[in-house]
C-alpha cells in the first residue's frame, strides 16, 4: 500500500493497555459491493462538491499516523474510482486538508487543484484523472480539523495518556479524509493506523488481528469495513482504553477508570440486539461494540458501524438512560443500512430510528417505560411547534436543510410519531412486515422521502381511501403536526401530572420521588411552573436532592430551571457541570439560559465559557459561539 510517513520520530509511552479478546479480530474479506447513486433532483446533495454521476469513489484505503504532539493525522489515502469512460476529472471534498501530492496506481503524478472554500463546506479538490481509476493521495489534516478532538492527559479520566476521537456527521470527515463526503455516496473502506504505545485504536470497521509492534515506540492497527457505508460513518478513537465483552458479539471499550461503570450500564446490550433482530431482521454488521468516550464528546451517541460512540453522561447507574443504546443500535438498520441521500431527509435516519428505539425499549424494558419515553418525545414536538409556529417550513419532515435550525423535535420526534401513527392505524403486524421489507429492499443504499412515500403507497397502503386517512403526504412534506397523530397514553404520566398540578397549586412537593422512574422525574421538572423564587427552589432541592442526582438528564433540567430564575447557589454546580461535560445537548441550552438573563447571566456565561471553550469539540463550540455572537 502507498504510504507517505508524516512522523520522523514518535513520542514514547510506557506500556500498559490491554488488548481486545473477541471475534472482532477475525479477518474480513473485502466486498465488491457497490451501492447505487440516486440521480433524481431530490437526491442531489448540495453539501458536497462531488459529481458522482461522472466519477465517484467506491473504496477508500487509509494508511495514517496519529501525531498527538502536532494534533495531526497524516499519511496516504488510496481511492478506487468508478467513472464514465470519458470522465476527465473527479471532484472530492476537502476542508483544511494539506495535499502533498496525488498519483495514479502506477505512481504517475496527477494534476490537482483546490478551489475556493465556502464556510463550513470546505473546498473542492479537483483531480485530473488522465485515465486513472485509482488515486493515491498524500496528505495531512490541519491541527484544528473540526472532526477531530485531541485531548491532553489531563482531559481524560486516567490523566496519564492523550486521547483522540472523531465525529464525522454531518460533513466533518472531509477535514481528515479526502473523499466524496456525502451520505448518498456509499463507500467500503480499510485502514492501517499507527499510534504511540500503549494507546489502543478502534474504528468503525472490523479490527484485523492483533496490533503490529513497529519497534519504534509505535504500533499499527488494521481495520476493514467490507460493506458500503456513507463516509460520515468512518470514525476513529485512540487512547488508554480496555475492552470487556457483554455477550458473544457485543462489548464495550472505555478508559480503565470508567470501564466498570460503563460495563454495568450496557451489560444487557446483547439482549437489545436480539430484540432488534426479532423486530426487523438480522443484524448485518457482525459485531456490535461500543466505546464510552471522555465527556467532551459532543453528542449522546454516534451510530458508527460495529463501534457505537457513547458519551459517559448517559451513565446513571440504573440503565435508565439506555434508550440511548437502543437508539444507536437501531441505526444499524435505519441510517447505516438505509441512509438518507441528502441531509434534508435526515428524518429517514433519525425519525425511523427513534421509532425503532421505542420498540426495542418496549420489548426489553416493558410497555410502561416505552410509553413514558414516547410521551417525553411527543412533548418535545409540541413545545417546539408552539415556539416556532405550526406552519414554519422547517417543521416538515422533508426539508431543504432548515431542519437543523429547528432542533431535534422534527427529524427525531415528529419522525417517530409519524411511524407510530401509521403503525396504530394499519396494525402492528402489517406495519412491521412493511418496515422490514423497506430495510431488506434498500439495504446498503441511499433513499429519499419520496422513495419511502412511494414505497408506503406500493407496499403498505391497501386503498386510496386508506392513503387519505393516513395523511402520508401531509406528514412528510407539509409543516406542523397532522390531526391524526397517535398521541401517547395520558395514563403514562398520570401520577406525575397529578403531582405537577398539586405543586403548581399549593407548592406540594411529591413524596414518592425516589421511587419514580427517570422519565417521571424529567416529566415533573419539565412541567412545573418555570418562575420560582429562591426559597421555592431551595425547598425543591432540599426535598428531592436534585443537585445530588446521579442522572445527568435530571441534573440538567434542575440547573436549567435554577439558572433561569437566577438562583445563585446553583451557579457553582453549573460551572462544574459545564467544565466537565461537552455534550451539546446540555452545554448550549445552559449557556443560552444564562445569556437570556442579561446583566446577571451574561457575565457568568462569558466567564465560564472563557475557561471551558478549549475543552469542547468543534460541534459544541460552534453552537455556543453563535449564541455568544448574538449580542
Amino acid at each position: 500500500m502507498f504510504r507517505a510517513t508524516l512522523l520522523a520520530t514518535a513520542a514514547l509511552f510506557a506500556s500498559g493497555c490491554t488488548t481486545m479478546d473477541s471475534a472482532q479480530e477475525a479477518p474480513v474479506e473485502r466486498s465488491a459491493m457497490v451501492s447505487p447513486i440516486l440521480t433524481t433532483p431530490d437526491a442531489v446533495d448540495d453539501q458536497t462538491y462531488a459529481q458522482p454521476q461522472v466519477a465517484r469513489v467506491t473504496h477508500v484505503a487509509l494508511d495514517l499516523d496519529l501525531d498527538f504532539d502536532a494534533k495531526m493525522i497524516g499519511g496516504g489515502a488510496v481511492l478506487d474510482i468508478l467513472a464514465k469512460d470519458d470522465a476527465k476529472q473527479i471532484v472530492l471534498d476537502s476542508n483544511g486538508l494539506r495535499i502533498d501530492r496525488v498519483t495514479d496506481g502506477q505512481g504517475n503524478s496527477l494534476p490537482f487543484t483546490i478551489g475556493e472554500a465556502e464556510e463550513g463546506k470546505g473546498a473542492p479538490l479537483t483531480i485530473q484523472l488522465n485515465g486513472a481509476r485509482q488515486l493515491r493521495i498524500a496528505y495531512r489534516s490541519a491541527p484544528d480539523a473540526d472532526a477531530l478532538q485531541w485531548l491532553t492527559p489531563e482531559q481524560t479520566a486516567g490523566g496519564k495518556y492523550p486521547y483522540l476521537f472523531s465525529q464525522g456527521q454531518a460533513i466533518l470527515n472531509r477535514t481528515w479524509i479526502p473523499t466524496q463526503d456525502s451520505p448518498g455516496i456509499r463507500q467500503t473502506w480499510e485502514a492501517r493506523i499507527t499510534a504511540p504505545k500503549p494507546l489502543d485504536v478502534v474504528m468503525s470497521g472490523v479490527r484485523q488481528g492483533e496490533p503490529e509492534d513497529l519497534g519504534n515506540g509505535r504500533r499499527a492497527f488494521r481495520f476493514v469495513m467490507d460493506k458500503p457505508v456513507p463516509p460520515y460513518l468512518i470514525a476513529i478513537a485512540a487512547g488508554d482504553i480496555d475492552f470487556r465483552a457483554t455477550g458473544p458479539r457485543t462489548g464495550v471499550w472505555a478508559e480503565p477508570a470508567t470501564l466498570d461503570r460503563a460495563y454495568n450500564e450496557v451489560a444487557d446490550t446483547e439482549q437489545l440486539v436480539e430484540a432488534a433482530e426479532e423486530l426487523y431482521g438480522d443484524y448485518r454488521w457482525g459485531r456490535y461494540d461500543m466505546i464510552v468516550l471522555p465527556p467532551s464528546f459532543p453528542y449522546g451517541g454516534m451510530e458508527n458501524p460495529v463501534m457505537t460512540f457513547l458519551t459517559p453522561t448517559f451513565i446513571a447507574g440504573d440503565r435508565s438512560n439506555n434508550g440511548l443504546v437502543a437508539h444507536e443500535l437501531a441505526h444499524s438498520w435505519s441510517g447505516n443500512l438505509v441512509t438518507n441521500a441528502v441531509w434534508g431527509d435526515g428524518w429517514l435516519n433519525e425519525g425511523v430510528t427513534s421509532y425503532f428505539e421505542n420498540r426495542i425499549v418496549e420489548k426489553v424494558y416493558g410497555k410502561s417505560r416505552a410509553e413514558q419515553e414516547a410521551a417525553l418525545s411527543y412533548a418535545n414536538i409540541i413545545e417546539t411547534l408552539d415556539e416556532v409556529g405550526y406552519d414554519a417550513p422547517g417543521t416538515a419532515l422533508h426539508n431543504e436543510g432548515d431542519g437543523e435550525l429547528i432542533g431535534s423535535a422534527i427529524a427525531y420526534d415528529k419522525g417517530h410519531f409519524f411511524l407510530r401513527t401509521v403503525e396504530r392505524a394499519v396494525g402492528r403486524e402489517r406495519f412491521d412486515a412493511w418496515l422490514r421489507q423497506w430495510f431488506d429492499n434498500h439495504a446498503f443504499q441511499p433513499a429519499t422521502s419520496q422513495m419511502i412515500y412511494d414505497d408506503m403507497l406500493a407496499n403498505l397502503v391497501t386503498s386510496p381511501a386508506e392513503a387519505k386517512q393516513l395523511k402520508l403526504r401531509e406528514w412528510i412534506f407539509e409543516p406542523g403536526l397532522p390531526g391524526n397523530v397517535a398521541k401517547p397514553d395520558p395514563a403514562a404520566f398520570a401520577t406525575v401530572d397529578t403531582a405537577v398540578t398539586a405543586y403548581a397549586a399549593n407548592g406540594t412537593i411529591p413524596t414518592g420521588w425516589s421511587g419514580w422512574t427517570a422519565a417521571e422525574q424529567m416529566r415533573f421538572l419539565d412541567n412545573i411552573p418555570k418562575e420560582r423564587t429562591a426559597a421555592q427552589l431551595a425547598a425543591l432541592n432540599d426535598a428531592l436532592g436534585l443537585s445530588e442526582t446521579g442522572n445527568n438528564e435530571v441534573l440538567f433540567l434542575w440547573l436549567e430551571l435554577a439558572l433561569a430564575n437566577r438562583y445563585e447557589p446553583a451557579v457553582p454546580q453549573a460551572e462544574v457541570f459545564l467544565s466537565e461535560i461537552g455534550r451539546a445537548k446540555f452545554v448550549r441550552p445552559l449557556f443560552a439560559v444564562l445569556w437570556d438573563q442579561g446583566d446577571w447571566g451574561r457575565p457568568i456565561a462569558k466567564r465560564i465559557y472563557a475557561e471551558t471553550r478549549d475543552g469542547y469539540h468543534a460541534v459544541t463550540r460552534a453552537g455556543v459561539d453563535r449564541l455568544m455572537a448574538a449580542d
Side-chain angles (χ1 to χ4, degrees):
M1 179 178 286
F2 166 77
R3 181 165 181 75
T5 302
L6 171 68
L7 304 177
T9 59
L12 296 179
F13 295 93
S15 60
C17 285
T18 63
T19 59
M20 175 177 169
D21 180 16
S22 79
Q24 188 170 349
E25 297 184 358
V28 172
E29 293 296 326
R30 176 171 157 187
S31 169
M33 188 189 305
V34 176
S35 296
I37 295 291
L38 301 181
T39 58
T40 55
D42 62 335
V44 176
D45 182 7
D46 63 3
Q47 296 301 301
T48 180
Y49 293 103
Q51 300 168 3
Q53 305 93 330
V54 177
R56 59 167 295 194
V57 177
T58 60
H59 183 77
V60 178
L62 301 172
D63 193 2
L64 301 172
D65 301 314
L66 307 185
D67 184 343
F68 284 86
D69 292 331
K71 297 182 179 180
M72 190 180 297
I73 293 180
V78 179
L79 309 184
D80 291 350
I81 306 302
L82 183 63
K84 290 184 175 180
D85 290 341
D86 60 351
K88 304 296 184 185
Q89 60 187 29
I90 186 170
V91 183
L92 308 179
D93 294 301
S94 170
N95 192 351
L97 296 179
R98 303 172 184 184
I99 309 299
D100 295 325
R101 68 180 181 275
V102 180
T103 61
D104 64 15
Q106 287 70 48
N108 302 308
S109 293
L110 296 175
F112 67 90
T113 58
I114 299 177
E116 185 176 349
E118 292 184 28
E119 181 69 26
K121 186 177 177 180
L125 170 58
T126 303
I127 300 170
Q128 302 305 311
L129 290 172
N130 294 345
R133 292 300 181 265
Q134 188 176 81
L135 307 178
R136 298 167 180 253
I137 304 173
Y139 74 97
R140 295 164 288 163
S141 67
D144 58 352
D146 282 347
L148 306 175
Q149 184 161 23
W150 303 86
L151 302 179
T152 65
E154 293 74 23
Q155 293 174 296
T156 68
K160 192 174 182 181
Y161 302 106
Y163 204 108
L164 164 70
F165 65 80
S166 69
Q167 170 53 42
Q169 194 177 23
I171 59 170
L172 298 183
N173 268 356
R174 63 190 65 181
T175 65
W176 73 284
I177 302 172
T179 189
Q180 293 174 319
D181 189 13
S182 170
I185 310 176
R186 302 178 72 109
Q187 304 151 29
T188 54
W189 63 271
E190 61 188 288
R192 177 183 180 272
I193 308 292
T194 79
K197 291 180 178 181
L199 304 187
D200 274 309
V201 178
V202 297
M203 293 189 76
S204 53
V206 179
R207 197 166 100 176
Q208 305 296 289
E210 289 291 337
E212 175 190 1
D213 193 324
L214 302 178
N216 60 352
R218 299 180 70 84
R219 294 187 297 171
F221 300 76
R222 295 181 183 272
F223 305 88
V224 169
M225 173 49 65
D226 66 333
K227 300 170 179 65
V229 297
Y232 71 85
L233 292 178
I234 304 175
I236 189 170
D240 177 18
I241 51 177
D242 290 343
F243 175 82
R244 190 173 299 173
T246 58
R249 56 179 167 174
T250 60
V252 62
W253 290 86
E255 292 186 72
T258 307
L259 186 57
D260 284 345
R261 293 173 60 236
Y263 170 80
N264 290 332
E265 205 75 6
V266 302
D268 50 13
T269 298
E270 192 77 31
Q271 188 179 357
L272 297 177
V273 178
E274 291 170 357
E277 289 186 311
E278 289 176 17
L279 286 166
Y280 298 122
D282 291 345
Y283 177 78
R284 309 186 193 206
W285 304 90
R287 292 196 58 81
Y288 182 77
D289 290 323
M290 301 153 285
I291 179 169
V292 175
L293 297 162
S296 60
F297 185 60
Y299 293 125
M302 183 62 208
E303 62 273 16
N304 303 310
V306 310
M307 190 63 66
T308 282
F309 283 20
L310 294 170
T311 172
T313 65
F314 88 102
I315 298 175
D318 58 5
R319 304 180 191 174
S320 57
N321 293 329
N322 273 18
L324 173 66
V325 180
H327 183 92
E328 305 310 332
L329 168 63
H331 272 301
S332 302
W333 286 260
S334 50
N336 297 5
L337 191 65
V338 185
T339 309
N340 48 277
V342 295
W343 290 112
D345 280 336
W347 78 274
L348 290 173
N349 185 327
E350 299 297 353
V352 179
T353 292
S354 296
Y355 169 82
F356 193 171
E357 165 203 341
N358 196 250
R359 293 290 303 277
I360 296 172
V361 168
E362 178 181 327
K363 207 167 186 63
V364 176
Y365 299 115
K367 187 173 180 61
S368 176
R369 174 168 166 176
E371 200 64 21
Q372 287 185 348
E373 293 183 5
L376 293 178
S377 175
Y378 181 77
N380 194 29
I381 303 172
I382 300 305
E383 182 180 344
T384 298
L385 291 176
D386 285 345
E387 179 181 347
V388 305
Y390 281 69
D391 58 352
T395 62
L397 289 178
H398 168 75
N399 63 73
E400 303 303 323
D402 297 332
E404 186 176 348
L405 303 177
I406 301 298
S408 65
I410 303 307
Y412 289 72
D413 301 317
K414 183 181 174 182
H416 169 184
F417 269 80
F418 169 43
L419 296 192
R420 175 188 176 97
T421 299
V422 175
E423 177 231 304
R424 296 293 173 86
V426 305
R428 180 164 283 189
E429 183 178 356
R430 196 169 125 206
F431 179 83
D432 284 352
W434 167 77
L435 187 52
R436 181 181 285 221
Q437 69 80 36
W438 168 258
F439 292 142
D440 289 343
N441 293 335
H442 298 85
F444 305 110
Q445 297 180 30
T448 65
S449 288
Q450 186 65 43
M451 287 172 62
I452 200 170
Y453 173 74
D454 291 342
D455 197 272
M456 284 182 161
L457 292 179
N459 299 312
L460 177 64
V461 174
T462 58
S463 68
E466 186 177 50
K468 184 176 181 180
Q469 176 191 4
L470 292 174
K471 302 180 184 292
L472 301 180
R473 178 162 287 280
E474 182 179 344
W475 269 101
I476 297 173
F477 297 104
E478 296 180 19
L481 190 64
N484 68 335
V485 59
K487 297 179 181 180
D489 184 354
F493 283 126
T495 300
V496 178
D497 291 344
T498 298
V500 168
T501 300
Y503 178 77
N506 51 38
T508 302
I509 296 175
T511 56
W513 177 266
S514 61
W516 283 6
T517 66
E520 288 172 328
Q521 293 179 356
M522 292 163 63
R523 173 81 167 200
F524 180 83
L525 290 175
D526 208 28
N527 284 271
I528 60 176
K530 295 295 188 271
E531 293 185 7
R532 301 283 86 189
T533 65
Q536 288 171 326
L537 290 169
L540 201 62
N541 187 38
D542 289 345
L544 304 183
L546 297 172
S547 60
E548 306 301 320
T549 178
N551 189 311
N552 283 302
E553 298 281 355
V554 175
L555 179 59
F556 162 73
L557 290 174
W558 158 246
L559 291 175
E560 188 177 45
L561 177 67
L563 295 178
N565 288 281
R566 304 187 178 191
Y567 185 57
E568 291 282 356
V571 173
Q573 186 172 24
E575 185 166 3
V576 171
F577 188 81
L578 289 167
S579 67
E580 293 180 347
I581 288 175
R583 188 175 176 182
K585 173 185 177 180
F586 297 149
V587 171
R588 190 188 183 284
L590 288 183
F591 276 114
V593 168
L594 287 170
W595 203 252
D596 288 344
Q597 294 307 308
D599 293 342
W600 179 82
R602 292 192 179 189
I604 298 173
K606 290 179 179 179
R607 174 176 58 79
I608 295 176
Y609 195 47
E611 298 169 355
T612 61
R613 185 182 186 277
D614 288 346
Y616 295 145
H617 187 274
V619 169
T620 302
R621 287 200 310 268
V624 183
D625 285 350
R626 285 194 298 268
L627 173 71
M628 297 286 189
D631 201 344

